[in-house]
Amino acid sequence: MLIIGIAGGTGCGKTTVVNKIISELAASEVNVISQDSYYKDLSHLSYQERTQTNFDHPKSLDFDLLKQHLIDLKEGKSIEQPVYSFVEHNRTKETTLVHPCKVLIVEGILIFTHPDIRDLFDIKIYVHADSDERLIRRIKRDTTERGRDITEVLERYQKTLKPMHQQFIEPTKEFADIIIPNNRRNAVAINIVKTIIRNRILNR
């Protein structure tokens, strides 16, 4: 199984890049796992306490579970992936069954911060976008999809998102094998990634 890690700051367009990469792959050949599914269970905290949690710090993630799940999939075992609720700021009691496949894409802002997780990636991709553009996308997504108001989004951006990006996310660009600009001129980079994936699949 080929495991690809795709990182980058919040709102950089990772999902768009993922969709472009998998567009030519058969559904049976590829699975996508989001870092967001592996936020730690915060059921012991009240809703108000959960809203104050810094979800942009590596400590917010259950990397041990993510690592074990990646190893299991690589060994041909299926996993029960957690399901996370952005409305409740917590894991739900549901899980999603994920089967082994030819290509596994793992996407998330913090996935390159953990050495053990990085070592499991055959290809590491960093998606780069301008900070203003990322903020605009974050505002649109959080207000329309996650039930946040704009004041909350801007406050979180200033207090946690921006400093966490500078401290933890931006520095991981150095670990990337490929850096993809998230603009109209990224077609060449994405086509290169598609070619690499196809070659790896054929040679395995």
Side-chain angles (χ1 to χ4, degrees):
M1 182 170 67
L2 181 70
I3 304 182
I4 302 170
I6 300 183
T10 181
C12 71
K14 292 184 295 299
T15 301
T16 300
V17 171
V18 169
N19 289 336
K20 287 182 179 179
I21 290 173
I22 68 176
S23 62
E24 295 178 14
L25 294 170
S28 59
E29 291 181 332
V30 60
N31 278 322
V32 179
I33 284 182
S34 173
Q35 158 204 290
D36 298 344
S37 298
Y38 291 85
Y39 281 122
K40 292 177 179 176
D41 185 358
L42 300 178
S43 299
H44 60 288
L45 300 178
S46 68
Y47 175 81
Q48 187 59 37
E49 289 173 322
R50 295 199 298 271
T51 63
Q52 301 304 311
T53 300
N54 182 0
F55 291 103
D56 295 276
H57 193 288
K59 289 183 178 179
S60 65
L61 290 164
D62 189 347
F63 279 119
D64 289 339
L65 181 60
L66 176 57
K67 177 184 175 181
Q68 187 57 57
H69 278 180
L70 294 181
I71 292 172
D72 287 345
L73 286 167
K74 203 157 191 172
E75 292 178 349
K77 305 172 186 174
S78 297
I79 64 164
E80 293 284 349
Q81 179 184 319
V83 175
Y84 183 79
S85 168
F86 286 98
V87 175
E88 296 298 324
H89 300 276
N90 200 17
R91 274 191 205 173
T92 68
K93 296 185 182 300
E94 300 174 356
T95 59
T96 300
L97 183 63
V98 179
H99 298 291
C101 54
K102 290 184 178 180
V103 179
L104 177 67
I105 296 177
V106 184
E107 64 90 14
I109 62 174
L110 296 165
I111 58 173
F112 290 171
T113 64
H114 196 288
D116 290 350
I117 302 298
R118 281 202 311 269
D119 289 344
L120 290 170
F121 297 139
D122 299 294
I123 303 171
K124 295 179 287 294
I125 298 170
Y126 188 96
V127 182
H128 173 77
D130 177 79
S131 58
D132 290 341
E133 188 176 350
R134 290 192 293 104
L135 174 57
I136 291 169
R137 288 178 182 157
R138 179 73 183 225
I139 291 172
K140 288 180 178 178
R141 183 184 67 189
D142 283 7
T143 54
T144 58
E145 298 177 17
R146 300 181 179 178
R148 315 276 199 267
D149 63 63
I150 191 168
T151 302
E152 179 187 356
V153 177
L154 290 174
E155 184 177 341
R156 182 177 286 272
Y157 180 82
Q158 290 177 317
K159 288 185 176 180
T160 60
L161 267 65
K162 186 176 180 179
M164 293 299 98
H165 177 84
Q166 293 171 335
Q167 183 177 353
F168 294 112
I169 302 166
E170 185 72 19
T172 64
K173 188 185 293 185
E174 69 174 277
F175 300 116
D177 302 305
I178 300 171
I179 297 175
I180 296 180
N182 190 24
N183 54 36
R184 297 176 190 172
R185 296 177 295 278
N186 65 13
V188 172
I190 290 175
N191 285 335
I192 289 173
V193 173
K194 288 179 180 178
T195 300
I196 293 171
I197 292 171
R198 277 294 175 200
N199 289 339
R200 292 286 188 93
I201 290 175
L202 291 173
N203 292 328
R204 289 190 175 210

